[in-house]
């Protein structure tokens, strides 16, 4: 027997609540459609818009997949996962088909953010390991001692500690076991800071 629109929307709200409680971030449009039996993403969006108009859910129009129940802040947001970062790996500023990663909304404040997958062990003494995700706020300067994503000579992207010595901008590794990493890298006029690392996200 066909369900009414109210029954479908009740099922959507129930699924949202269950998913938020069990994994901490909301389901995708596709997951909602599969769960409630809607093949068209447009149909799911239609029901979500109605639920929002009725005050049962809240959606942040500036962020993908930021859905929360009424009177609750969004628990997760999606930010673009742009590239891997580490010696020899470029920081990609723009790509056509951007993969995203869902992270707790509490990690992200104002401004534009992106994530990079860490490759290598140059920052292990700072608690940053191979395979971690660096959550980055896009900005072109940072304070001395902060962890940043930077390019050097326009050739590679790296995650390092920023050091300002006079007019020199240096990047320091954090790995006592590799003496080759202790020599700071200098950002030249062809290099730049891409953003400040505000959090490290690790899948357990």
């Amino acid at each position: 027997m066909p369900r009414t629109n109210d029954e479908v929307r009740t099922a959507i709200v129930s699924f949202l609540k269950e998913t938020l409680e069990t994994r901490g971030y909301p389901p995708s449009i596709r997951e909602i459609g599969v769960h409630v039996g809607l093949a068209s993403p447009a149909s799911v969006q239609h029901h979500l818009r109605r639920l929002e108009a009725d005050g049962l859910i809240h959606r942040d129009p500036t962020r993908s997949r930021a859905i929360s129940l009424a009177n609750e802040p969004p628990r997760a947001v999606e930010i673009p996962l742009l590239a891997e970062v580490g010696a020899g790996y470029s920081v990609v500023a723009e790509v056509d088909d951007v993969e995203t990663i869902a992270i707790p909304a509490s990690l992200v404040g104002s401004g534009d953010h992106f994530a990079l997958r860490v490759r290598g062990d140059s920052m292990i003494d700072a608690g940053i390991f191979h395979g971690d995700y660096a959550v980055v706020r896009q900005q072109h300067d940072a304070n001395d001692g902060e962890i940043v994503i930077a390019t050097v000579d326009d050739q590679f992207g790296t995650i390092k500690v920023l050091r300002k010595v006079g007019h020199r901008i240096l990047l320091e590794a954090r790995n006592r076991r590799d003496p080759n990493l202790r020599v700071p890298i200098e950002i030249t006029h062809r290099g730049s800071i891409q953003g400040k690392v505000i959090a490290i996200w690790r899948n357990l």
Side-chain angles (χ1 to χ4, degrees):
M1 181 176 179
R3 293 177 298 173
T4 66
N5 286 334
D6 285 342
E7 289 173 332
V8 171
R9 290 167 192 154
T10 298
I12 290 175
V13 171
S14 177
F15 182 53
L16 284 170
K17 182 178 181 180
E18 175 187 348
T19 306
L20 287 168
E21 289 177 349
T22 56
R23 72 183 189 191
Y25 59 91
S28 65
I29 297 299
R30 180 181 178 279
E31 288 174 326
I32 295 172
V34 170
H35 184 81
V36 301
L38 296 174
S40 169
S43 296
V44 177
Q45 292 282 15
H46 169 75
H47 287 292
L48 290 176
R49 285 193 294 269
R50 182 57 187 270
L51 287 169
E52 186 173 24
D54 290 344
L56 297 175
I57 67 170
H58 172 73
R59 294 194 294 171
D60 186 341
T62 66
R63 301 190 185 278
S64 171
R65 200 166 162 173
I67 308 173
S68 62
L69 299 177
N71 301 320
E72 290 187 12
R75 301 191 189 188
V77 295
E78 286 194 354
I79 60 174
L81 176 60
L82 298 186
E84 291 185 320
V85 63
Y89 285 80
S90 297
V91 174
V92 178
E94 295 182 6
V95 292
D96 292 332
D97 186 14
V98 178
E99 183 182 353
T100 61
I101 180 173
I103 63 171
S106 59
L107 294 181
V108 180
S110 60
D112 294 325
H113 297 75
F114 59 91
L116 297 168
R117 187 182 288 109
V118 176
R119 189 177 182 92
D121 57 4
S122 67
M123 294 294 289
I124 58 175
D125 290 338
I128 302 173
F129 299 94
H130 178 84
D132 287 350
Y133 294 93
V135 180
V136 184
R137 181 169 62 235
Q138 189 172 343
Q139 58 188 66
H140 297 295
D141 195 11
N143 296 322
D144 183 73
E146 292 182 328
I147 298 174
V148 299
I149 303 297
T151 54
V152 180
D153 289 334
D154 289 339
Q155 293 181 4
F156 64 89
T158 186
I159 177 171
K160 294 290 185 291
V161 175
L162 180 69
R163 288 300 180 197
K164 297 181 178 181
V165 182
H167 297 294
R168 302 175 68 199
I169 305 297
L170 306 178
L171 302 170
E172 292 183 346
R174 287 290 183 269
N175 186 336
R176 290 169 292 179
R177 286 169 281 183
D178 190 341
N180 294 325
L181 292 173
R182 296 179 189 172
V183 180
I185 305 170
E186 183 171 5
I187 297 181
T188 68
H189 65 283
R190 291 187 299 164
S192 64
I193 295 170
Q194 304 294 315
K196 173 186 172 181
V197 177
I198 61 169
I200 296 296
W201 181 248
R202 181 176 303 145
N203 290 326
L204 300 179

